[in-house]
Amino acid sequence: MKVTFGWLVIAAGISGLLSFALLATSLGTEYWYIIEMNPMNTSDYEDMSSHSGLWEVIEGGTVYSFKADYSRYSDTELRMLNMHSAVVVVLPLSLVLLVFGGICGLVSSLARSPALLIGTATYFFVCSLLTLCGVSLYIVYSYQALAETERLVGPEALAHIHTSFGWSLALAWLSYSLELLSSLLLLVAAHTVRLRHSSATLA
């Protein structure tokens, strides 16, 4: 089956739409990080089971926002809060840029311009880098927060607690992969148009 320009740009468009939907869903849900307590130990310790997103933490039905009085925290805690602040700027920025990327993709596809298609592919690649930076920074932030908590309360206090990344983070990773796929498909589409122009010139 021959892969045509139309199929390439349609596939790139679907991939771009899915990446936007997945990232938007990821940002709007509270399952980036999950803390679960061993049921055998909940009688000895307060139940600290919770799940958190980029904007708030839900613990035992109670919602806590990340808004805080910075004067109460140590330098290490402030550094982690600044990392979290960077995450909640970079990822929404990537989401907004994807909207403009979709518009650029539509225009370049209708124009069948190799230069515009390559420019849009580069644009999607930059969006994917922003998503990658945001997700990676969140992972680093989470590990540092866990290490700081262990330093403060001791490893024995965390022995009965299990931590993991949730499906919201997985959606962000999928969005990153689809952004890269969109970029690749647009590059192939640009190459296809160039070959067609070259064939027409030679003819």
Side-chain angles (χ1 to χ4, degrees):
M1 178 181 176
K2 184 178 179 180
V3 179
T4 63
F5 173 81
W7 282 110
L8 287 170
V9 294
I10 289 173
I14 293 174
S15 178
L17 284 173
L18 285 175
S19 68
F20 175 85
L22 290 174
L23 187 56
T25 303
S26 174
L27 295 179
T29 51
E30 288 80 32
Y31 287 89
W32 281 72
Y33 198 72
I34 300 172
I35 298 175
E36 297 175 312
M37 290 194 66
N38 186 341
M40 300 296 294
N41 296 320
T42 53
S43 58
D44 300 326
Y45 297 91
E46 180 184 356
D47 188 1
M48 296 174 57
S49 297
S50 66
H51 55 91
S52 60
L54 298 183
W55 321 105
E56 57 192 18
V57 178
I58 300 177
E59 181 179 333
T62 304
V63 179
Y64 302 94
S65 70
F66 279 98
K67 295 179 181 178
D69 180 7
Y70 281 65
S71 63
R72 298 170 44 213
Y73 295 101
S74 65
D75 290 340
T76 301
E77 291 169 331
L78 284 175
R79 185 170 64 252
M80 289 187 294
L81 285 172
N82 288 333
M83 290 176 63
H84 181 268
S85 298
V87 173
V88 299
V89 169
V90 171
L91 288 177
L93 175 61
S94 177
L95 185 68
V96 172
L97 291 179
L98 281 175
V99 175
F100 294 102
I103 297 172
C104 293
L106 178 62
V107 172
S108 59
S109 299
L110 293 175
R112 291 177 178 260
S113 167
L116 288 177
L117 286 167
I118 292 174
T120 305
T122 304
Y123 185 95
F124 270 97
F125 180 70
V126 172
C127 289
S128 72
L129 289 181
L130 281 175
T131 304
L132 176 63
C133 288
V135 173
S136 301
L137 192 58
Y138 181 83
I139 293 174
V140 173
Y141 154 78
S142 299
Y143 279 122
Q144 288 193 5
L146 180 61
E148 179 66 11
T149 302
E150 184 174 349
R151 184 186 69 82
L152 292 174
V153 303
E156 64 281 353
L158 300 180
H160 58 285
I161 294 177
H162 172 71
T163 61
S164 62
F165 294 105
W167 55 265
S168 296
L169 181 68
L171 291 183
W173 275 119
L174 285 174
S175 176
Y176 160 71
S177 301
L178 289 172
E179 289 165 31
L180 278 182
L181 179 61
S182 296
S183 178
L184 178 62
L185 289 171
L186 289 172
L187 284 176
V188 176
H191 180 66
T192 302
V193 173
R194 276 185 172 176
L195 289 178
R196 185 173 301 174
H197 287 173
S198 298
S199 300
T201 301
L202 291 175

